[in-house]
Amino acid sequence: MSEAHARRVQAQFGGSAAAYVASAGHAAGEDLDRLLAWGAARRRDRVLDLATGGGHTALLFGGIARRVVALDLTEPMLRAAREHVRTRAAANVVFVAGDASSLPFTDGSFDVVTCRTAAHHFADVAAAVRQIQRVLRPGGALLLQDILGHDDSEASAFMSEVERRRDPSHVRSYRAAEWKAFLRAAGLTVMEDVVIRKIREWDEWTGRMRMTPEARSQLEAFVRGAPERCRAAFDFKLTAERVESFNDRQILLRAERD
Ligand SMILES: C[S@@+](CC[C@H](N)C(=O)[O-])C[C@H]1O[C@@H](n2cnc3c(N)ncnc32)[C@H](O)[C@@H]1O
């Protein structure tokens, strides 16, 4: 990953660590329930939570695994996640600084890798997937969740622009076929895939990334000025005064290392 992109990620998340720990949408949800159910049905002594953010996925997996390693690129995020997990008394979760595209672990050292709401920030997602394959034991599982890229190219370009204006470290949300190709190329076989919807409350979503009032009103003008079909693709709810919410889709994938 380039130094410039790493700095962008760290600048975005370093100042938002407390907001990610407090985020109700990260602390719970249908996606987390599904990942946990997938994990509970497998051997799960050693779990890696990749790009742990506020530590919500690591914390829940700490309840069903012997040991969880929670890795993140952003030091202040790791500190906030460590504190969050410590106050919930999960002593089997340890924290490590690192980059998804060069994981500091030996081959085959995990039974399960989780990666939730993070891969759209990775500069080179194919490299990250190869690293996940390398650190999983044969038969080990990747449990992945991320924002799903839209199949319509105009709607996809519109939403990418919305995402990047809110968070310049957003790289790309991939379509289901793209995810399957990344995983297949790395030697991971998709066993299950599910798509779910998530409502994003605009004030919370823009506030969590500390948008200035000017940047936020420019983004709202961009949304209002976009073609109706692009807004409809994400079910944007607008009143005369404000943007209320939109709806995005998330992909969940369970894949096994060959
Ligand atoms: C939205 S948060 C993750 C949420 C978390 N997984 C959860 O379940 O609540 C995204 C995280 O990805 C991390 N991140 C982004 N790029 C990364 C990379 N290349 N390697 C490791 N972590 C990265 C950021 O620092 C940030 O903490």
Side-chain angles (χ1 to χ4, degrees):
M1 175 174 43
S2 74
E3 269 301 303
H5 185 67
R7 277 200 297 276
R8 254 194 306 278
V9 168
Q10 289 162 336
Q12 277 308 122
F13 286 99
S16 299
Y20 274 84
V21 168
S23 165
H26 287 77
E30 188 185 345
D31 62 322
L32 199 47
D33 293 345
R34 171 71 63 147
L35 296 183
L36 204 61
W38 278 345
R42 322 191 43 79
R43 197 175 116 195
R44 52 188 187 279
D45 283 350
R46 304 158 304 165
V47 173
L48 169 64
D49 184 38
L50 186 55
T52 196
H56 297 288
T57 304
L59 178 65
L60 286 185
F61 273 79
I64 63 163
R66 190 168 57 77
R67 179 181 160 88
V68 178
V69 177
L71 178 137
D72 204 279
L73 187 66
T74 306
E75 292 277 0
M77 191 62 109
L78 277 173
R79 285 197 292 276
R82 189 182 287 118
E83 183 59 17
H84 169 214
V85 167
R86 193 185 63 75
T87 57
R88 306 276 297 271
N92 58 341
V93 183
V94 298
F95 293 87
V96 173
D99 174 5
S101 63
S102 55
L103 293 175
F105 309 111
T106 53
D107 297 0
S109 38
F110 294 99
D111 301 304
V112 172
V113 175
T114 55
C115 184
R116 174 173 175 249
T117 323
H120 55 276
H121 297 287
F122 298 168
D124 184 348
V125 81
V129 170
R130 286 194 295 274
Q131 287 288 300
I132 291 168
Q133 188 271 356
R134 182 183 67 71
V135 303
L136 276 173
R137 65 165 169 80
L142 166 64
L143 309 180
L144 179 128
Q145 178 266 40
D146 203 14
I147 306 165
L148 181 63
H150 204 286
D151 285 327
D152 178 282
S153 57
E154 195 185 8
S156 168
F158 159 73
M159 200 60 207
S160 292
E161 183 63 22
V162 171
E163 292 272 11
R164 277 196 215 105
R165 287 183 185 217
R166 171 206 180 233
D167 168 8
S169 74
H170 179 96
V171 175
R172 217 184 127 200
S173 304
Y174 298 95
R175 303 181 176 112
E178 292 176 306
W179 268 118
K180 288 178 185 171
F182 287 134
L183 297 175
R184 189 65 257 132
L188 291 157
T189 300
V190 174
M191 312 303 282
E192 272 183 85
D193 61 305
V194 176
V195 173
I196 61 175
R197 288 192 172 275
K198 191 154 191 160
I199 294 177
R200 308 287 188 175
E201 299 299 337
W202 188 253
D203 290 351
E204 194 277 334
W205 190 72
T206 51
R208 189 162 11 100
M209 275 307 190
R210 310 179 323 280
M211 294 187 80
T212 63
E214 298 73 40
R216 186 170 136 162
S217 58
Q218 282 166 13
L219 177 54
E220 289 170 358
F222 173 76
V223 168
R224 281 184 194 282
E228 166 57 26
R229 60 187 285 275
C230 290
R231 282 198 304 273
F234 298 94
D235 201 17
F236 266 89
K237 301 269 187 270
L238 310 175
T239 65
E241 293 81 34
R242 57 187 292 263
V243 178
E244 291 185 333
S245 66
F246 66 95
N247 207 311
D248 65 6
R249 292 183 311 153
Q250 304 182 341
I251 185 163
L252 287 91
L253 290 160
R254 178 170 74 81
E256 280 186 9
R257 185 186 158 175
D258 300 345

